Amino acid sequence: MKLWDKGISIDKKIEKFTVGNDRELDMFLAEYDIKASKAHAKMLGEVGILDEEEVSAIEKELEKLQRQLENGNFHIAEEFEDVHSKIEFDLTEALGDTGKKIHTARSRNDQVLVAMQLYFKENLQQISGKTGDLIDVLLELAKKHEEELLPGYTHLQVAMPSSFGLWFSAYAELLIDDLYLLEAGLKIVDQNPLGSAAGYGSSFPIDREFTTKELGFSTLKYNVVAAQMSRGKCERTVTSNIASVANTLSRFAMDICLYMSQNFDFITFPDELTTGSSIMPHKKNPDVFELIRGKCNKLQSIANEMILITNNLPSGYHRDFQLIKENSIYAVENIKEILDVFIHSIALIKVKDVDLTDEKYKYLFTVDSINDLVMQGQSFREAYKEIGGQVQNGNYRPAAGKKHTHLGSKDNLALDEIAKKKKDAKW
């Protein structure tokens, strides 16, 4: 039941250790291995290694397996090492010697590579789409609340006037930066490694450009050693790009947790999105955003793990690569769920009226007061000293209500320009 089986039995403890949880993880890759196997069979037919009947028979059996997968009837039993051996076994069971020919001119190495890259490619597009949806929601919230003021903070100290519109659109624009990184990641994984075999190519007259087109890759990884070395590089890139999204969401979730607390009291959410306490009946906890914060921090650690496992491996294949499969898939699947929950929750946010005349916000407008004096002819340094003296003497009186007219400020959010940046992002 192993693609490398030479008739020698293997120690069961060693087998369990080396297989790990590949069977469970490979369920995420099954559809992509089926797709790649179909493209490989058609290519073998194009170059004359398989005849037309053999290609047709293999395609039909692979389509049956695809239907099993879609219907929830595809399983990788314990006697199989992974999805690749399972699919080849099923083809051989159904087609005899014809099924055995599917592995011609390929290795399990490039099978895993192409399945992983197809998985990453499709899912990066989904992640980008969900990120784009969140950006749209935030820009809508920014427009809705652009007139509602909010204290701005530096060092968690009251600093300068901000607004809910500025807050929402800030995270929208940061997420556009994350879209750029996801786009870069997509470009890296969108290169066909199939045909590199074990990492050094093949003496068969295969047509790698055929499979590139058949699988929908934009280009191929030409150098076969480079194709093999992309194992690890793709995982590092994808998890790093996901970590960037996670970093933005984690910071946003932290803001939300702070702003929901009674000490800030800027926002709230419907009761059904919050949790309570087993002993304190008044509690309304932002558990969903605390979990988002924690999960996003975990995703950022995965990117570092990818580097530590792969950073000093020499060229060629090494079994260490098996260890990066689990957490790279974990990162992909979790960021999709996090984005879905974030989109659902943030759309229901309730913005509160913030009373900026409260004593604790007394110094929120000191910079505006300085700027007023500068506009009246004082130098900035003189104006700074004058307002600073008023603060020290306790006789400062804020001059609230100043407009910030420059592009990207609280009274000129540039939402259309931010939306255009999002639209122009190629994902």
Side-chain angles (χ1 to χ4, degrees), residues 296-401:
C296 284
N297 291 340
K298 184 173 182 178
L299 292 182
Q300 292 176 79
S301 73
I302 287 173
N304 193 49
E305 178 188 276
M306 296 296 113
I307 295 171
L308 292 175
I309 293 175
T310 63
N311 69 341
N312 62 352
L313 295 180
S315 60
Y317 175 77
H318 311 278
R319 194 61 180 263
D320 312 53
F321 289 130
Q322 180 181 347
L323 303 179
I324 64 177
K325 181 192 291 185
E326 178 175 6
N327 276 349
S328 59
I329 290 174
Y330 175 92
V332 167
E333 298 302 323
N334 271 265
I335 196 64
K336 291 191 295 183
E337 181 184 26
I338 289 167
L339 283 164
D340 283 340
V341 171
F342 214 121
I343 291 166
H344 174 72
S345 301
I346 200 67
L348 300 174
I349 192 171
K350 296 179 179 180
V351 168
K352 295 186 175 183
D353 291 328
V354 182
D355 180 11
L356 295 186
T357 64
D358 189 294
E359 180 68 17
K360 61 177 170 286
Y361 303 130
K362 181 177 180 179
Y363 300 121
L364 193 63
F365 298 96
T366 57
V367 177
D368 285 347
S369 297
I370 292 169
N371 294 348
D372 279 344
L373 294 178
V374 171
M375 294 300 290
Q376 293 168 21
Q378 286 193 32
S379 70
F380 179 84
R381 192 51 57 205
E382 289 173 341
Y384 180 90
K385 288 181 179 179
E386 181 172 333
I387 298 300
Q390 292 176 15
V391 170
Q392 290 297 318
N393 296 330
N395 58 5
Y396 171 74
R397 295 294 178 268

Side-chain angles (χ1 to χ4, degrees), residues 74-103:
F74 183 92
H75 304 287
I76 306 172
E78 284 191 11
E79 60 263 30
F80 299 108
E81 192 173 26
D82 51 33
V83 69
H84 317 293
S85 53
K86 154 72 175 172
I87 289 172
E88 184 168 327
F89 176 84
D90 286 354
L91 289 176
T92 302
E93 280 284 283
L95 304 174
D97 287 342
T98 297
K100 295 177 182 179
K101 294 181 180 181
I102 189 62
H103 205 56

Side-chain angles (χ1 to χ4, degrees), residues 262-274:
Q262 290 88 342
N263 300 75
F264 288 81
D265 200 30
F266 298 156
I267 59 173
T268 188
F269 286 88
D271 290 345
E272 57 268 25
L273 293 187
T274 63

Side-chain angles (χ1 to χ4, degrees), residues 16-241:
K16 182 179 179 182
F17 182 76
T18 54
V19 171
N21 60 348
D22 260 15
R23 299 183 192 93
E24 294 83 359
L25 295 173
D26 280 0
M27 289 300 295
F28 290 100
L29 304 179
E31 66 173 292
Y32 305 104
D33 194 68
I34 291 169
K35 182 178 181 180
S37 294
K38 190 183 294 187
H40 184 68
K42 290 173 75 172
M43 183 277 294
L44 292 177
E46 288 290 317
V47 300
I49 293 175
L50 295 180
D51 61 37
E52 192 174 322
E53 289 183 2
E54 289 173 321
V55 173
S56 179
I58 289 172
E59 280 191 276
K60 287 179 182 177
E61 290 303 319
L62 288 171
E63 286 165 3
K64 287 181 184 177
L65 293 178
Q66 180 61 36
R67 286 194 293 273
Q68 286 181 21
L69 190 63
E70 292 168 357
N71 296 332
N73 297 321
F74 183 92
H75 304 287
I76 306 172
E78 284 191 11
E79 60 263 30
F80 299 108
E81 192 173 26
D82 51 33
V83 69
H84 317 293
S85 53
K86 154 72 175 172
I87 289 172
E88 184 168 327
F89 176 84
D90 286 354
L91 289 176
T92 302
E93 280 284 283
L95 304 174
D97 287 342
T98 297
K100 295 177 182 179
K101 294 181 180 181
I102 189 62
H103 205 56
T104 305
R106 72 175 181 179
S107 164
R108 184 166 63 169
N109 291 2
D110 63 344
Q111 273 188 272
V112 175
L113 272 169
V114 73
M116 286 296 294
Q117 286 183 222
L118 287 170
Y119 168 80
F120 286 143
K121 180 182 174 182
E122 182 172 308
N123 279 280
L124 281 176
Q125 290 170 325
Q126 290 182 27
I127 293 165
S128 294
K130 293 175 188 293
T131 302
D133 291 342
L134 178 54
I135 291 168
D136 290 341
V137 172
L138 294 178
L139 290 178
E140 289 172 10
L141 288 168
K143 182 65 177 175
K144 180 178 178 181
H145 300 288
E146 63 182 333
E147 301 290 338
E148 297 166 64
L149 291 182
L150 176 72
Y153 295 83
T154 61
H155 309 278
L156 276 181
Q157 308 294 305
V158 170
M160 291 178 65
S162 181
S163 70
F164 283 101
L166 203 59
W167 182 54
F168 287 125
S169 57
Y171 281 105
E173 194 164 6
L174 285 177
L175 285 167
I176 293 171
D177 291 340
D178 297 326
L179 276 184
Y180 296 151
L181 289 172
L182 292 169
E183 177 189 343
L186 181 58
K187 193 166 187 176
I188 288 173
V189 302
D190 195 14
Q191 303 176 83
N192 180 23
L194 189 58
S196 58
Y200 298 95
S202 172
S203 59
F204 288 106
I206 58 174
D207 185 347
R208 297 187 65 208
E209 291 178 321
F210 178 91
T211 54
T212 298
K213 184 177 180 181
E214 193 71 20
L215 290 169
F217 283 107
S218 295
T219 185
L220 57 82
K221 202 72 168 180
Y222 292 98
N223 185 293
V224 291
V225 175
Q228 182 58 61
M229 290 175 70
S230 65
R231 183 86 184 268
K233 191 177 189 70
C234 287
E235 287 84 350
R236 288 196 305 273
T237 301
V238 169
T239 55
S240 177
N241 298 160

